[in-house]
PDB file of all heavy atoms in Angstrom:
ATOM      1  N   VAL A 228     108.182 100.368 105.846  1.00 98.00           N
ATOM      2  CA  VAL A 228     108.022 100.911 104.496  1.00 98.00           C
ATOM      3  C   VAL A 228     106.633 101.340 104.185  1.00 98.00           C
ATOM      4  O   VAL A 228     105.702 101.083 104.899  1.00 98.00           O
ATOM      5  CB  VAL A 228     108.431  99.765 103.472  1.00 98.00           C
ATOM      6  CG1 VAL A 228     109.893  99.307 103.695  1.00 98.00           C
ATOM      7  CG2 VAL A 228     107.544  98.616 103.480  1.00 98.00           C
ATOM      8  N   ARG A 229     106.542 102.021 103.082  1.00 96.00           N
ATOM      9  CA  ARG A 229     105.223 102.499 102.596  1.00 96.00           C
ATOM     10  C   ARG A 229     104.353 101.255 102.233  1.00 96.00           C
ATOM     11  O   ARG A 229     104.873 100.284 101.721  1.00 96.00           O
ATOM     12  CB  ARG A 229     105.381 103.334 101.330  1.00 96.00           C
ATOM     13  CG  ARG A 229     106.090 104.635 101.524  1.00 96.00           C
ATOM     14  CD  ARG A 229     106.333 105.289 100.155  1.00 96.00           C
ATOM     15  NE  ARG A 229     107.130 106.505 100.280  1.00 96.00           N
ATOM     16  CZ  ARG A 229     106.580 107.733 100.345  1.00 96.00           C
ATOM     17  NH1 ARG A 229     105.280 107.847 100.349  1.00 96.00           N
ATOM     18  NH2 ARG A 229     107.349 108.772 100.491  1.00 96.00           N
ATOM     19  N   PRO A 230     103.026 101.316 102.452  1.00 97.00           N
ATOM     20  CA  PRO A 230     102.219 100.179 102.177  1.00 97.00           C
ATOM     21  C   PRO A 230     102.285  99.715 100.729  1.00 97.00           C
ATOM     22  O   PRO A 230     102.304  98.484 100.473  1.00 97.00           O
ATOM     23  CB  PRO A 230     100.773 100.629 102.488  1.00 97.00           C
ATOM     24  CG  PRO A 230     100.983 101.777 103.503  1.00 97.00           C
ATOM     25  CD  PRO A 230     102.278 102.393 103.122  1.00 97.00           C
ATOM     26  N   GLU A 231     102.372 100.627  99.801  1.00 97.00           N
ATOM     27  CA  GLU A 231     102.467 100.260  98.391  1.00 97.00           C
ATOM     28  C   GLU A 231     103.738  99.614  97.956  1.00 97.00           C
ATOM     29  O   GLU A 231     103.847  99.069  96.849  1.00 97.00           O
ATOM     30  CB  GLU A 231     102.123 101.421  97.461  1.00 97.00           C
ATOM     31  CG  GLU A 231     103.189 102.557  97.569  1.00 97.00           C
ATOM     32  CD  GLU A 231     102.901 103.605  98.622  1.00 97.00           C
ATOM     33  OE1 GLU A 231     102.141 103.335  99.505  1.00 97.00           O
ATOM     34  OE2 GLU A 231     103.543 104.689  98.497  1.00 97.00           O
ATOM     35  N   LYS A 232     104.722  99.608  98.893  1.00 98.00           N
ATOM     36  CA  LYS A 232     106.012  98.974  98.555  1.00 98.00           C
ATOM     37  C   LYS A 232     106.182  97.625  99.163  1.00 98.00           C
ATOM     38  O   LYS A 232     107.223  96.966  98.969  1.00 98.00           O
ATOM     39  CB  LYS A 232     107.147  99.883  99.129  1.00 98.00           C
ATOM     40  CG  LYS A 232     107.313 101.240  98.341  1.00 98.00           C
ATOM     41  CD  LYS A 232     107.658 100.886  96.924  1.00 98.00           C
ATOM     42  CE  LYS A 232     107.920 102.142  96.096  1.00 98.00           C
ATOM     43  NZ  LYS A 232     108.429 101.789  94.731  1.00 98.00           N
ATOM     44  N   LEU A 233     105.132  97.071  99.805  1.00 98.00           N
ATOM     45  CA  LEU A 233     105.234  95.724 100.336  1.00 98.00           C
ATOM     46  C   LEU A 233     105.505  94.666  99.313  1.00 98.00           C
ATOM     47  O   LEU A 233     106.429  93.855  99.465  1.00 98.00           O
ATOM     48  CB  LEU A 233     103.910  95.389 101.118  1.00 98.00           C
ATOM     49  CG  LEU A 233     103.795  93.935 101.544  1.00 98.00           C
ATOM     50  CD1 LEU A 233     104.935  93.576 102.562  1.00 98.00           C
ATOM     51  CD2 LEU A 233     102.499  93.625 102.252  1.00 98.00           C
ATOM     52  N   GLU A 234     104.760  94.647  98.249  1.00 98.00           N
ATOM     53  CA  GLU A 234     104.992  93.586  97.255  1.00 98.00           C
ATOM     54  C   GLU A 234     106.403  93.666  96.591  1.00 98.00           C
ATOM     55  O   GLU A 234     107.024  92.642  96.457  1.00 98.00           O
ATOM     56  CB  GLU A 234     103.850  93.637  96.105  1.00 98.00           C
ATOM     57  CG  GLU A 234     102.546  93.081  96.630  1.00 98.00           C
ATOM     58  CD  GLU A 234     102.672  91.610  97.145  1.00 98.00           C
ATOM     59  OE1 GLU A 234     103.309  90.804  96.503  1.00 98.00           O
ATOM     60  OE2 GLU A 234     102.109  91.326  98.196  1.00 98.00           O
ATOM     61  N   PRO A 235     106.840  94.843  96.173  1.00 98.00           N
ATOM     62  CA  PRO A 235     108.215  94.907  95.648  1.00 98.00           C
ATOM     63  C   PRO A 235     109.247  94.426  96.631  1.00 98.00           C
ATOM     64  O   PRO A 235     110.237  93.712  96.292  1.00 98.00           O
ATOM     65  CB  PRO A 235     108.429  96.387  95.264  1.00 98.00           C
ATOM     66  CG  PRO A 235     107.093  96.918  95.095  1.00 98.00           C
ATOM     67  CD  PRO A 235     106.196  96.146  96.011  1.00 98.00           C
ATOM     68  N   VAL A 236     109.097  94.817  97.906  1.00 98.00           N
ATOM     69  CA  VAL A 236     110.081  94.385  98.886  1.00 98.00           C
ATOM     70  C   VAL A 236     110.000  92.849  99.135  1.00 98.00           C
ATOM     71  O   VAL A 236     110.984  92.191  99.151  1.00 98.00           O
ATOM     72  CB  VAL A 236     109.808  95.154 100.269  1.00 98.00           C
ATOM     73  CG1 VAL A 236     110.631  94.501 101.406  1.00 98.00           C
ATOM     74  CG2 VAL A 236     110.173  96.590 100.046  1.00 98.00           C
ATOM     75  N   LYS A 237     108.753  92.343  99.246  1.00 97.00           N
ATOM     76  CA  LYS A 237     108.629  90.893  99.381  1.00 97.00           C
ATOM     77  C   LYS A 237     109.175  90.141  98.240  1.00 97.00           C
ATOM     78  O   LYS A 237     109.929  89.146  98.455  1.00 97.00           O
ATOM     79  CB  LYS A 237     107.112  90.598  99.560  1.00 97.00           C
ATOM     80  CG  LYS A 237     106.837  89.122  99.927  1.00 97.00           C
ATOM     81  CD  LYS A 237     105.361  88.936 100.237  1.00 97.00           C
ATOM     82  CE  LYS A 237     104.647  88.762  98.981  1.00 97.00           C
ATOM     83  NZ  LYS A 237     103.224  88.336  99.136  1.00 97.00           N
ATOM     84  N   GLU A 238     108.984  90.543  97.041  1.00 97.00           N
ATOM     85  CA  GLU A 238     109.591  89.899  95.835  1.00 97.00           C
ATOM     86  C   GLU A 238     111.076  89.949  95.858  1.00 97.00           C
ATOM     87  O   GLU A 238     111.742  88.951  95.537  1.00 97.00           O
ATOM     88  CB  GLU A 238     108.992  90.538  94.558  1.00 97.00           C
ATOM     89  CG  GLU A 238     107.587  90.236  94.322  1.00 97.00           C
ATOM     90  CD  GLU A 238     106.990  91.078  93.155  1.00 97.00           C
ATOM     91  OE1 GLU A 238     107.729  91.745  92.496  1.00 97.00           O
ATOM     92  OE2 GLU A 238     105.719  91.012  93.015  1.00 97.00           O
ATOM     93  N   ALA A 239     111.647  91.071  96.321  1.00 97.00           N
ATOM     94  CA  ALA A 239     113.104  91.214  96.392  1.00 97.00           C
ATOM     95  C   ALA A 239     113.677  90.247  97.390  1.00 97.00           C
ATOM     96  O   ALA A 239     114.710  89.659  97.215  1.00 97.00           O
ATOM     97  CB  ALA A 239     113.447  92.683  96.713  1.00 97.00           C
ATOM     98  N   LEU A 240     113.014  90.111  98.543  1.00 97.00           N
ATOM     99  CA  LEU A 240     113.494  89.244  99.591  1.00 97.00           C
ATOM    100  C   LEU A 240     113.359  87.709  99.177  1.00 97.00           C
ATOM    101  O   LEU A 240     114.269  86.952  99.375  1.00 97.00           O
ATOM    102  CB  LEU A 240     112.738  89.469 100.868  1.00 97.00           C
ATOM    103  CG  LEU A 240     112.985  90.752 101.546  1.00 97.00           C
ATOM    104  CD1 LEU A 240     112.159  90.977 102.793  1.00 97.00           C
ATOM    105  CD2 LEU A 240     114.435  90.931 101.887  1.00 97.00           C
TER     106      LEU A 240
END
Side-chain angles (χ1 to χ4, degrees):
V228 300
R229 295 173 183 265
E231 65 270 17
K232 291 298 186 173
L233 173 59
E234 284 305 313
V236 169
K237 188 172 81 171
E238 289 170 9
L240 292 176

